[in-house]
Amino acid sequence: MKPLTGLRIIEFDGLGPVTFAGMVLADLGADVLRLTRSAAAGAPVFTDVGGEVLHRGRPAVGVDLKDPVDLARVGDLIATADALIEGFRPGVMERLGLGPDACAARNPRLVFGRITGWGQTGPMARQVGHDLNYIALSGALSMMGEPDRPPRPPLNVVGDYGGGAMLLVTGVLAALLEAKTTGRGRTVDAAMTDGSALLTSLFHALGARGLWNEARGTNLLDGGAPFYRCYACRDGRFVAVGALEPQFYAALLVGLDIPAAEAPQFDVGAWPALHARLATVFATRDRDDWAAHFEGSDACVTPVLTLVEAPRHPHNAARGTFIDRDVVQPAPAPRFDGEAPASSPQSAPISLDEALGRWR
């Protein structure tokens, strides 16, 4: 048994956040049916991007949403579902006759989860965009990168996954809890602009207190502080230094053999010189030498591992943070009751008839 065992969720196949949200919900035990475009409907675009991992734990059900018969049978699935998640542009589900109002008429307790970049409303709601555009508009992107260069894209984890998929999952689960009490579902409008803006809450608070400025790369957590950034090592690899608190910073200085009197932590004017000094020291040894040197200390120094290296690290291996299902991939998270996360292998595709039979 997993926490969401017994929940029935329909996922309308898409890219990015809706796919990731479907994976998370399936990992947590929900019975997710991923509705994909059938051969009769024509080849979908990018359907297999990340599929070896992102499609795990739930079967694909081929449907043709332009076929009235298939559309009606999808409606039958919706009538017995607990939740639905989709990532189409605003208005697409309504044109199919599967919008929130139509679905609620058949299933009042259905939670209807929607994920878009700009949201269901607002002047840009129907405009195209990608993760980078959404986090640019929310202000999150402006804080990332070097001070003398354009902002650097932080992969698509801030908009698509952090501000998008995880907020969609949160909203759907919150609405499901309410529906258990009220018997009525909700429409969840998860926008990546809203979610990525929410993720910047701390920095709005710091800015209001004069503790954060808009000059990128000059602040405590954006690489401006010499004790909270990455450094290149002799072998061209890197270490991450996160010695924020004074006691951890003191341990860092001890480990680097730097007298505390020569390196006051919060003398911002001295940060550039201290950064240069630490860069010189870290460049004298290989990454793994530094990792061994600081192992067990409170200096908060860790190696920057690649995707290939991370699964082999002793800590990750001991916790089972990664699993190997033909493709090495992150294991489901979080874990419950201290148990190792249960794996969610790929599921074989099933027909629409089989899907309907499964939920009768």
Side-chain angles (χ1 to χ4, degrees):
M1 294 285 290
K2 296 182 181 179
L4 299 187
T5 295
L7 281 176
R8 296 174 171 183
I9 298 177
I10 295 173
E11 170 194 346
F12 283 81
D13 194 33
L15 289 174
V18 71
T19 308
F20 187 80
M23 182 194 76
V24 170
L25 291 165
D27 284 346
L28 293 174
D31 185 0
V32 181
L33 296 177
R34 185 170 62 89
L35 304 190
T36 65
R37 190 180 298 184
S38 67
V45 179
F46 298 137
T47 185
D48 290 326
V49 173
E52 300 92 335
V53 177
L54 296 178
H55 293 163
R56 72 190 184 196
R58 67 254 196 231
V61 183
V63 300
D64 182 354
L65 294 177
K66 294 182 179 179
D67 180 337
V69 175
D70 273 14
L71 194 60
R73 295 162 93 198
V74 168
D76 292 338
L77 279 175
I78 290 172
T80 61
D82 295 296
L84 173 160
I85 58 174
E86 58 96 358
F88 298 126
R89 289 193 203 178
V92 171
M93 291 291 281
E94 284 80 355
R95 289 196 295 273
L96 290 169
L98 298 175
D101 292 341
C103 290
R106 292 203 65 182
N107 183 354
R109 63 185 179 81
L110 181 78
V111 172
F112 197 112
R114 321 191 80 169
I115 176 72
T116 57
W118 311 110
Q120 298 295 315
T121 61
M124 297 179 69
R126 296 179 184 273
Q127 187 170 319
V128 298
H130 287 291
D131 178 292
L132 192 66
N133 306 116
Y134 311 139
I135 67 173
L137 205 72
S138 72
L141 182 61
S142 70
M143 298 184 287
M144 300 171 185
E146 299 297 322
D148 56 347
R149 301 190 181 195
R152 182 178 295 276
L155 303 179
N156 66 325
V157 299
V158 177
D160 275 355
Y161 295 148
M166 297 309 289
L167 266 293
L168 174 63
V169 170
T170 301
V172 166
L173 294 181
L176 283 167
L177 282 174
E178 183 188 41
K180 290 187 68 173
T181 302
T182 66
R184 302 199 65 82
R186 292 264 195 169
T187 299
V188 180
D189 176 6
M192 287 175 258
T193 45
D194 298 345
S196 58
L198 184 65
L199 295 178
T200 67
S201 298
L202 169 65
F203 308 103
H204 282 276
L206 292 175
R209 297 170 58 188
L211 300 176
W212 192 271
N213 66 76
E214 294 187 345
R216 191 167 50 256
T218 63
N219 295 284
L220 186 65
L221 300 174
D222 63 0
F227 46 85
Y228 197 83
R229 60 175 301 144
C230 296
Y231 289 93
C233 302
R234 182 174 58 189
D235 56 1
R237 296 188 287 182
F238 306 92
V239 292
V241 176
L244 281 173
E245 290 81 1
Q247 67 272 28
F248 302 151
Y249 179 67
L252 173 68
L253 295 183
V254 170
L256 296 177
D257 198 24
I258 296 176
E262 297 178 9
Q265 183 175 10
F266 293 107
D267 182 355
V268 177
W271 277 4
L274 182 56
H275 167 225
R277 184 171 182 179
L278 266 60
T280 298
V281 174
F282 278 112
T284 62
R285 299 169 69 168
D286 292 346
R287 182 199 68 180
D288 292 346
D289 290 341
W290 283 118
H293 177 73
F294 282 106
E295 185 174 0
S297 83
D298 288 339
C300 302
V301 177
T302 51
V304 177
L305 302 179
T306 67
L307 293 183
V308 173
E309 293 174 313
R312 300 196 295 260
H313 188 276
H315 181 78
N316 293 333
R319 283 185 60 82
T321 302
F322 295 86
I323 54 176
D324 189 348
R325 293 281 181 182
D326 296 326
V327 176
V328 175
Q329 58 195 272
R335 59 192 65 196
F336 299 88
D337 303 319
E339 297 178 356
S343 60
S344 296
Q346 288 279 13
S347 297
I350 62 175
S351 69
L352 191 48
D353 283 339
E354 290 173 307
L356 286 163
R358 177 171 173 159
W359 280 7
R360 280 202 178 98

